[in-house]
Amino acid sequence: MSVSVKSEPGTFSSPERLHKIDQLREKNVGTHMPLPQLVVVGDQSSGKSSLLETLTGIPFPNAQGLCTRYATQITHRRDVIHDILVSIIPVSPVTDDRKQRLLAYNRSVKSTALLQKEYESIIRQVDILMDIKSKDNPQGRESFSRHILKIESQGPDEDYLTVIDVPGIFRNIEEGVTKDADRKLVMDMVESYVKQERTIILAVLPCNADVMTQEVLSLAEKYDEAGKRTLGVLTKPDLLPERNTKLVVCDLINGKKRPLNLGYYLIVNRGADEVPGNGSNTHEREAVFKTDPWSSLPPDRVGVAALRKRLQDLLHHITDKEFPKLRADARRILAAARESVDSLGSPRQSQRDLRLCLGGMAHDFQSNVRKALEANYSYHSELKEDRSNLVTEIIDITRQFNEDFMAMSSTWSFDSESREQAANYDSESSDSEDSDLESLDEQNNTVISAANIYPELESIIDLSWKPARPKRGLMSFISSYNLAVRRAGGGSPDLLSFFRHQSTKWERMAKFYVSRVILVIHRHINLGLGICEDPKVREGLKSTLEHDLIDRYRAAIKQVVFLVSLERDTKPYTVNGSFDVDVQKALTSRIVKPLQAEAARRGDRLRASDIGPVVERKTDGQHESETIHERLKTYYDIARRRFVNNIFHQAVQHCLLSGPKSPLRLFSWKWVDDLDDKSLESIAVEPHAITGRRKQLKRKIDDLEAALEILR
């Protein structure tokens, strides 16, 4: 027998809106944002099933304990054809396959009498689909499910009402049936509904228990402190034998005890022996309200008709109030979900996906490299805020290398430099020079400490150079070496021998300089790979790039060794046309300058006749040593400048910065294209957690896009 759910004319002005809310729930939107809804909450055996049957006209065979393992949504909707539709609303998280199996379940029953007859078979089918363990489905793995059983009654006499029943709260575990984890699951499920700000809580409270200690009221108060959305439904008043107990219930309804803004309602449900769905017994059961003390209660607070009208009004009110906000919420949550998906990057499952993903990163990386080489750091916030960025830092390192090389690359000071040093040592400036050396040594120690961050460079870079001023006594060395070679019968030593002795620091100083540049470039590459937000991909890239990067760094160091060998292992030669002229000028200066100084001391002019005796007083050995000194000094100055330029242009500029084999050019589209499939997958394949997260967000986006379409 069908029981219509009727309301006063004009009660509902927006049935379309109410229908849209149900559509949103079917699209799983309720898992993403709160929806206006009426949720029935109570302890087991509180009378929830009987209340729902009385309220909705849908028969619940409560003696079998059915419909207690998952939430049940009962919906009434006006339609030209009378029908009762049974289906399942899947609730995330759920696999796509299982979701489709759940959605595929649909039953159509033409009357409540037929529904009552087929109800147990329907529940058995639903239990199997939801994997609920029961006597009819012993292989089931779950005691409770978060999926929702939907029963929709439609017909020409129906008025819109949707009520959601959740499993009853229980405290005691039934051995072989429920576990403590089930108790917690049910409580979590109930709380997930109750805490939603758009949920009207129907707290079912049996009169024959101490209402003041009912856990459902405490739960409602936890999430609805002001009591603005909690409505108390008092059941089983016919089981109260004592007047005093009845008066306590009356005080609750009259707001004298534990008041709720939405108040309390008193309902008499059918007894266990009554036939489910027999609505004709409702008036007989409610005759009890004409007896004392129930007869003194306000008529609009007792009976199923009063409760039903109140629920319809509440559902209508909260739907109209929240409907405009639902659109705004859906747009906001959708935008956040899309942003979250974007933050995961492009999908990375197929080989094409992987190459496109890495190729895009390589393109961005090379774009950033070009800007870095132009000293434009606006593209990268971390580099922009870092004062020591690529080009400017390399320029500073190169300037310092040039200054250090000019000042400290020779083993001995040349005569003019020695005289300057001797003067400085006798002045206060010597303290300043010592301080400069200490400061430089500190800087180098800082560089060494920074290198410890990149242990992969340990076998390549060379930071062993320590700042030290050239020694004095070059002329003595030249004379002694000359004499030793002559005594050994080797004749006069050539310029190369002296040049090699004078340039022993070159290789270590040049390697130190290029090693510092490598450190800066390696650091920049590591920062540049920060364009990849996925730490797994970032580390995979670094690991795979490392071998080729090291080869390219090593090539720069090899170029240093080659340039050093080119200078120190080949016969000194220069096409500089002023070499011989400069040597002769230096030798002449050695004779003329002392005489000019002597003449100035006498207050006389230098005479040509003064030169001869000075030249004649010098031995052949002195002449030879001075000639070697000036030739060495002149050639050393030319070679030193040439070497510094070559180290910068060939080892740094070409090998490390802008040449085709620059480490900065390594991570490119070509490098990605050349990766074999196995390497590609090891670097960029998407972790299962990210894939799962992406699917979850995609479902969320689909749900919310569908929600906005419904809410238009």
Side-chain angles (χ1 to χ4, degrees):
M1 176 179 181
S2 174
V3 179
S4 300
V5 179
K6 297 183 178 181
S7 63
E8 295 296 326
T11 297
F12 288 106
S13 61
S14 55
E16 295 84 3
R17 286 186 173 182
L18 293 167
H19 181 52
K20 287 182 176 184
I21 298 301
D22 276 347
Q23 288 179 303
L24 292 178
R25 194 174 291 109
E26 290 169 16
K27 294 293 184 182
N28 210 37
V29 177
T31 62
H32 311 308
M33 64 182 192
L35 298 175
Q37 57 192 1
L38 304 176
V39 176
V40 180
V41 182
D43 289 356
Q44 284 188 346
S45 304
S46 61
K48 285 196 308 102
S49 296
S50 296
L51 169 66
L52 285 166
E53 181 195 318
T54 303
L55 192 63
T56 66
I58 301 297
F60 289 88
N62 55 6
Q64 302 297 323
L66 301 176
C67 276
T68 58
R69 302 299 185 181
Y70 30 80
T72 303
Q73 174 185 318
I74 302 107
T75 295
H76 291 268
R77 183 167 60 86
R78 184 165 294 181
D79 203 309
V80 292
I81 299 174
H82 183 80
D83 202 356
I84 299 176
L85 305 174
V86 183
S87 59
I88 298 173
I89 302 174
V91 175
S92 295
V94 59
T95 64
D96 290 339
D97 288 345
R98 191 174 185 193
K99 179 179 180 181
Q100 293 307 315
R101 287 199 302 272
L102 294 173
L103 287 173
Y105 179 78
N106 285 284
R107 287 284 296 271
S108 173
V109 183
K110 296 305 178 182
S111 69
T112 52
L114 285 174
L115 177 63
Q116 179 188 346
K117 193 173 182 179
E118 298 181 17
Y119 201 82
E120 289 191 27
S121 67
I122 290 173
I123 294 304
R124 281 195 294 271
Q125 294 168 1
V126 171
D127 282 352
I128 292 171
L129 286 169
M130 291 194 188
D131 204 18
I132 297 295
K133 184 177 182 179
S134 66
K135 65 178 182 179
D136 297 314
N137 186 35
Q139 64 270 43
R141 293 173 296 177
E142 307 291 340
S143 297
F144 294 88
S145 174
R146 292 184 181 274
H147 304 305
I148 301 170
L149 173 64
K150 180 184 178 183
I151 302 175
E152 182 179 40
S153 179
Q154 58 187 35
D157 297 327
E158 301 284 3
D159 273 334
Y160 211 101
L161 177 66
T162 294
V163 180
I164 298 173
D165 174 41
V166 293
I169 299 170
F170 64 94
R171 299 165 192 78
N172 300 320
I173 308 303
E174 187 178 349
E175 189 173 349
V177 179
T178 55
K179 306 181 293 291
D180 189 58
D182 298 327
R183 182 180 60 80
K184 293 177 180 177
L185 173 63
V186 169
M187 183 58 74
D188 289 344
M189 196 185 308
V190 172
E191 287 184 335
S192 70
Y193 283 94
V194 169
K195 67 183 179 183
Q196 295 183 31
E197 59 189 23
R198 294 174 178 138
T199 293
I200 300 296
I201 305 167
L202 273 64
V204 181
L205 308 162
C207 292
N208 60 340
D210 187 353
V211 173
M212 307 304 290
T213 61
Q214 288 286 295
E215 187 172 1
V216 63
L217 275 186
S218 300
L219 187 65
E221 285 178 352
K222 179 180 177 181
Y223 295 104
D224 178 30
E225 293 183 11
K228 293 182 178 180
R229 53 187 185 85
T230 302
L231 185 147
V233 181
L234 299 166
T235 63
K236 305 182 180 181
D238 50 319
L239 301 182
L240 297 180
E242 299 179 2
R243 178 178 172 80
N244 288 339
T245 310
K246 294 179 181 180
L247 291 176
V248 170
V249 173
C250 290
D251 287 343
L252 285 168
I253 295 170
N254 289 321
K256 295 179 180 179
K257 288 188 176 182
R258 202 162 187 168
L260 297 172
N261 281 6
L262 299 181
Y264 292 87
Y265 284 75
L266 190 61
I267 301 296
V268 180
N269 297 325
R270 69 172 174 84
D273 296 332
E274 291 185 40
V275 178
N278 190 356
S280 61
N281 292 334
T282 301
H283 293 295
E284 296 177 13
R285 291 196 299 270
E286 291 187 352
V288 68
F289 295 142
K290 296 178 181 179
T291 63
D292 184 66
W294 312 125
S295 57
S296 63
L297 294 174
D300 61 352
R301 290 284 172 171
V302 297
V304 67
L307 175 61
R308 187 185 298 122
K309 183 178 184 307
R310 178 61 167 154
L311 295 182
Q312 288 174 326
D313 289 345
L314 285 173
L315 188 59
H316 163 75
H317 173 74
I318 192 173
T319 299
D320 278 356
K321 176 186 173 185
E322 299 294 333
F323 202 83
K325 299 178 186 177
L326 291 175
R327 293 194 195 98
D329 284 357
R331 291 191 188 98
R332 174 179 54 79
I333 298 169
L334 177 60
R338 286 171 173 166
E339 186 176 335
S340 296
V341 166
D342 291 342
S343 71
L344 297 178
S346 302
R348 306 193 308 273
Q349 291 300 316
S350 69
Q351 291 289 326
R352 182 176 181 276
D353 288 343
L354 300 181
R355 291 197 190 275
L356 284 175
C357 174
L358 285 190
M361 291 180 197
H363 176 271
D364 292 343
F365 181 86
Q366 287 304 317
S367 175
N368 293 344
V369 165
R370 287 192 295 273
K371 293 174 184 176
L373 293 175
E374 295 167 1
N376 176 5
Y377 299 99
S378 60
Y379 67 93
H380 199 307
S381 59
E382 188 170 354
L383 293 174
K384 184 178 179 182
E385 294 168 2
D386 192 330
R387 292 177 296 175
S388 55
N389 31 46
L390 185 64
V391 171
T392 52
E393 190 168 4
I394 290 175
I395 289 172
D396 289 343
I397 293 171
T398 302
R399 185 183 297 115
Q400 183 178 342
F401 168 61
N402 184 50
E403 292 172 356
D404 293 345
F405 208 82
M406 293 301 131
M408 290 182 279
S409 64
S410 59
T411 305
W412 289 277
S413 296
F414 291 98
D415 261 12
S416 58
E417 297 169 344
S418 297
R419 286 191 292 272
E420 289 175 11
Q421 283 181 351
N424 288 337
Y425 286 140
D426 294 334
S427 68
E428 293 181 359
S429 64
S430 62
D431 293 335
S432 175
E433 289 188 358
D434 290 341
S435 175
D436 288 345
L437 282 177
E438 289 177 7
S439 175
L440 190 56
D441 201 35
E442 275 186 26
Q443 291 179 31
N444 291 351
N445 287 335
T446 301
V447 173
I448 293 170
S449 297
N452 293 333
I453 300 173
Y454 305 111
E456 62 269 23
L457 301 181
E458 183 178 352
S459 63
I460 304 166
I461 59 178
D462 184 350
L463 303 173
S464 62
W465 174 68
K466 296 291 183 184
R469 296 287 180 190
K471 298 181 290 185
R472 286 181 291 175
L474 177 59
M475 284 298 293
S476 298
F477 170 74
I478 292 173
S479 299
S480 300
Y481 192 75
N482 244 340
L483 182 60
V485 172
R486 285 180 184 279
R487 285 176 177 172
S492 298
D494 59 11
L495 183 59
L496 177 61
S497 299
F498 291 106
F499 182 77
R500 285 179 61 81
H501 282 288
Q502 188 68 329
S503 60
T504 53
K505 298 180 184 178
W506 282 25
E507 182 168 329
R508 287 169 69 185
M509 289 187 74
K511 282 184 176 179
F512 183 84
Y513 160 60
V514 174
S515 294
R516 289 190 66 186
V517 174
I518 288 172
L519 274 173
V520 171
I521 290 174
H522 195 61
R523 171 180 169 274
H524 183 88
I525 289 172
N526 276 270
L527 285 175
L529 291 177
I531 58 174
C532 174
E533 296 182 359
D534 186 333
K536 178 185 176 296
V537 177
R538 188 166 58 247
E539 291 307 313
L541 271 176
K542 289 180 181 179
S543 176
T544 310
L545 287 166
E546 186 176 294
H547 177 76
D548 290 339
L549 283 175
I550 288 174
D551 280 350
R552 296 188 180 200
Y553 297 146
R554 188 173 282 118
I557 298 294
K558 285 181 179 178
Q559 188 65 21
V560 170
V561 174
F562 168 74
L563 292 173
V564 170
S565 175
L566 200 63
E567 295 290 351
R568 299 186 71 236
D569 297 336
T570 57
K571 186 177 180 179
Y573 180 77
T574 176
V575 294
N576 191 325
S578 66
F579 174 74
D580 291 330
V581 175
D582 290 342
V583 171
Q584 195 56 49
K585 283 181 180 180
L587 289 171
T588 301
S589 179
R590 278 182 171 276
I591 298 170
V592 173
K593 276 191 176 181
L595 292 175
Q596 287 176 333
E598 179 61 22
R601 188 183 64 78
R602 295 195 313 259
D604 198 357
R605 290 189 305 169
L606 175 65
R607 297 184 293 271
S609 59
D610 293 336
I611 298 174
V614 173
V615 173
E616 291 169 0
R617 284 198 297 269
K618 291 188 176 182
T619 66
D620 289 343
Q622 285 177 308
H623 277 295
E624 187 175 10
S625 294
E626 288 177 355
T627 300
I628 291 172
H629 181 281
E630 297 311 327
R631 287 178 63 80
L632 177 61
K633 181 178 185 302
T634 304
Y635 181 77
Y636 189 89
D637 285 343
I638 293 171
R640 178 168 54 185
R641 288 179 171 81
R642 179 177 63 212
F643 180 71
V644 168
N645 281 326
N646 285 341
I647 288 292
F648 172 72
H649 285 293
Q650 295 185 41
V652 172
Q653 185 72 31
H654 181 73
C655 291
L656 293 175
L657 289 179
S658 57
K661 293 294 184 179
S662 161
L664 291 167
R665 293 180 180 270
L666 177 59
F667 182 40
S668 61
W669 256 111
K670 183 180 183 308
W671 183 84
V672 174
D673 282 342
D674 290 342
L675 280 175
D676 59 77
D677 291 348
K678 185 176 180 181
S679 298
L680 185 67
E681 289 177 6
S682 69
I683 295 171
V685 72
E686 196 167 70
H688 292 305
I690 298 296
T691 302
R693 174 66 175 155
R694 189 187 304 280
K695 286 183 178 179
Q696 183 183 31
L697 286 168
K698 181 65 171 62
R699 284 195 293 265
K700 185 174 184 178
I701 289 169
D702 291 344
D703 292 343
L704 291 165
E705 286 177 342
L708 286 174
E709 186 67 24
I710 292 169
L711 292 168
R712 282 199 312 174

